């Protein structure tokens, strides 16, 4: 469920960022925005999750800057403790992942946009096309091969959720929605001493991932000219 939500809400963000970066004319603004969006990727999971937890709570009132803002905007109740509420773990996990990786992931899509011939944009402007039509009829078709490859890769990693961020964000109150296959393998195989079951679970993850990649690649090859092989 976490990976599916991450795919639905997280995959489009780097694409939007790449289009945004490609439309910035001022070099200073362009370089600054790209640098700020890339920066979280180079910070450790401990640093990123620590910042998130600090913004959501503090030691005195259990209400941080971000949670206080959500309360003032009416999105959550004043008594809600996001960090200790199982219903909020998945959104917190996904938003943290988007913040950390969206900027860096946009590099691939930005490179694909830069490879599109400027002649195509000039042609659609001559035909009277606006900016949205440029994106729809030139940018997205030009990005299509890259988009398909990245979708195939993301589908292959559908069962893989990094246990570092999960362990750093979850607690006893959020365990029901925070436990993943990776944390199960860690808990059963290493902490519980059942290496056989942990290895079997890891093997299950790898086999299903391989099947998803092969299936997604087959479908991609049938409906388009782009595929991993």
């Amino acid at each position: 469920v976490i990976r599916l939500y991450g795919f639905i809400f997280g995959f489009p963000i780097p694409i939007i960022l790449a289009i945004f970066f490609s439309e910035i004319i001022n070099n200073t603004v362009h370089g600054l925005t790209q640098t700020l969006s890339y920066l979280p990727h180079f910070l450790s999971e401990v640093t990123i999750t620590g910042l998130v937890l600090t913004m959501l709570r503090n030691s005195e009132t259990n209400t941080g800057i971000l949670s206080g803002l959500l309360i003032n905007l009416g999105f959550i109740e004043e008594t809600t403790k996001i960090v200790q509420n199982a219903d909020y773990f998945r959104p917190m996990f996904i938003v943290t992942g988007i913040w950390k990786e969206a900027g860096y992931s946009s590099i691939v899509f930005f490179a694909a946009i830069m490879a599109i011939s400027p002649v195509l944009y000039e042609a659609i402007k001559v035909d009277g096309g606006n900016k949205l039509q440029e994106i729809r009829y030139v940018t997205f078709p030009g990005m299509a091969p890259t988009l398909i490859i990245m979708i195939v890769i993301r589908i292959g990693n559908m069962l893989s959720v990094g246990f570092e961020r999960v362990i750093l964000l979850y607690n006893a109150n959020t365990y029901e929605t925070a436990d993943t296959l990776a944390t199960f393998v860690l808990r059963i195989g290493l902490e519980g001493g059942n290496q056989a079951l942990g290895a079997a679970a890891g093997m299950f993850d790898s086999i299903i991932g391989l099947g998803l990649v092969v299936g997604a690649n087959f479908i991609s090859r049938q409906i388009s000219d782009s595929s991993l092989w």
Side-chain angles (χ1 to χ4, degrees):
V1 173
I2 290 175
R3 200 60 169 172
L4 181 62
Y5 286 167
F7 180 79
I8 294 173
F9 297 105
F11 186 75
I13 301 299
I15 301 173
I16 295 173
L17 281 176
I19 296 174
F20 171 73
F21 293 148
S22 67
E23 296 295 333
I24 298 177
I25 301 176
N26 188 288
N27 292 331
T28 302
V29 176
H30 183 275
L32 181 61
T33 53
Q34 279 194 309
T35 301
L36 291 176
S37 66
Y38 299 163
L39 181 61
H41 171 79
F42 298 99
L43 300 178
S44 66
E45 287 286 356
V46 176
T47 303
I48 291 295
T49 53
L51 290 172
V52 170
L53 294 176
T54 300
M55 289 188 290
L56 291 174
R57 70 180 182 189
N58 58 47
S59 58
E60 297 180 358
T61 63
N62 206 29
T63 301
I65 296 175
L66 184 57
S67 56
L69 177 62
L70 294 175
I71 292 172
N72 293 332
L73 293 175
F75 290 109
I76 61 175
E77 297 180 358
E78 188 172 355
T79 57
T80 301
K81 298 178 181 179
I82 296 178
V83 176
Q84 299 179 7
N85 193 318
D87 295 333
Y88 291 99
F89 176 83
R90 288 167 179 164
M92 179 175 62
F93 182 92
I94 293 167
V95 170
T96 302
I98 292 174
W99 178 36
K100 188 176 188 301
E101 299 295 342
Y104 190 78
S105 299
S106 68
I107 295 176
V108 176
F109 303 109
F110 181 72
I113 294 174
M114 292 296 99
I116 299 174
S117 175
V119 176
L120 298 176
Y121 290 102
E122 294 174 3
I124 197 170
K125 287 180 180 178
V126 171
D127 291 338
N130 55 34
K131 183 60 64 177
L132 292 179
Q133 289 173 327
E134 287 182 17
I135 295 173
R136 179 181 178 182
Y137 295 109
V138 178
T139 304
F140 276 119
M143 294 171 61
T146 302
L147 286 172
I148 291 173
I149 296 300
M150 297 305 295
I151 289 174
V152 171
I153 294 175
R154 289 291 291 266
I155 291 176
N157 294 327
M158 190 62 71
L159 294 183
S160 301
V161 179
F163 66 89
E164 299 95 340
R165 191 181 306 150
V166 175
I167 291 176
L168 291 168
L169 288 176
Y170 80 171
N171 53 65
N173 296 320
T174 61
Y175 184 78
E176 59 182 290
T177 58
D179 198 27
T180 65
L181 186 60
T183 56
F184 174 80
V185 172
L186 177 67
R187 187 176 68 256
I188 298 299
L190 296 180
E191 296 178 358
N194 193 340
Q195 288 84 3
L197 182 58
M203 180 66 72
F204 170 81
D205 185 7
S206 301
I207 293 175
I208 297 300
L210 175 62
L212 289 172
V213 169
V214 173
N217 188 77
F218 175 78
I219 295 174
S220 174
R221 193 167 59 247
Q222 296 302 314
I223 65 177
S224 69
D225 296 329
S226 301
S227 62
L228 283 175
W229 66 87

